[in-house]
Amino acid sequence: MNITLETRGFEKTRKAFRFYSKYANWEDIIQEVAWEFAQEIEKKAKEILKRKIQSRTGKLVDSIYVVADEGRIEVRSNHPAAYHLEYGSYQPKDVSVKSKTIIQYAKIYGISPWHLKVGLEKSGFFLEPVAFAYLAILDKRPKIKKRIISLAIEKKKELA
């Protein structure tokens, strides 16, 4: 699961500053800003997820990380539930009571794997998206835009 903030939204800003400062290297500026905000975005994504769902093992929250590369910021997770929580999805009807995950969570909840399976199938747990990654990036977007502008001004002053 990847949620990406790409530099496409900054084209107008880029063009405006190209006129103002033709020496600035925009890819370096955007990359530097992406690195600056990666930890904040990761923290925000985890915070949103913790607010929206009750964590039992912490594996989902711990699986969230941010990659800032080539002028983009991506919120990623290798946890199988992350995609379903971010976008919402239909609850599968063929959940196996022999699944390691079902057995693990049944023990955590103190119920039988069969009861957990039936509960999951009836609850529609994944139907409503949580959008923790999208909301984390959206929350930091205004700060990112401001920082790109201020860093461009700083770089221009360094070249002068």
Side-chain angles (χ1 to χ4, degrees), residues 17 19-24 29 150-160:
F17 272 100
F19 172 77
Y20 183 67
S21 173
K22 62 183 176 182
Y23 301 105
I29 290 170
S150 68
L151 188 58
I153 292 169
E154 288 172 26
K155 296 276 186 188
K156 182 187 184 306
K157 288 179 181 177
E158 287 174 11
L159 293 172

Side-chain angles (χ1 to χ4, degrees), residues 42-59:
E42 180 179 324
K43 182 179 175 184
K44 188 67 175 180
K46 290 178 177 184
E47 176 187 304
I48 292 167
L49 190 57
K50 286 178 185 177
R51 247 186 300 138
K52 301 266 186 169
I53 66 164
Q54 187 175 6
S55 177
R56 297 294 180 171
T57 65
K59 288 181 181 179

Side-chain angles (χ1 to χ4, degrees), residues 140-156:
K140 300 299 176 193
R141 191 172 172 191
K143 283 183 162 182
I144 291 169
K145 284 183 173 182
K146 286 180 184 175
R147 182 62 184 135
I148 287 172
I149 293 167
S150 68
L151 188 58
I153 292 169
E154 288 172 26
K155 296 276 186 188
K156 182 187 184 306

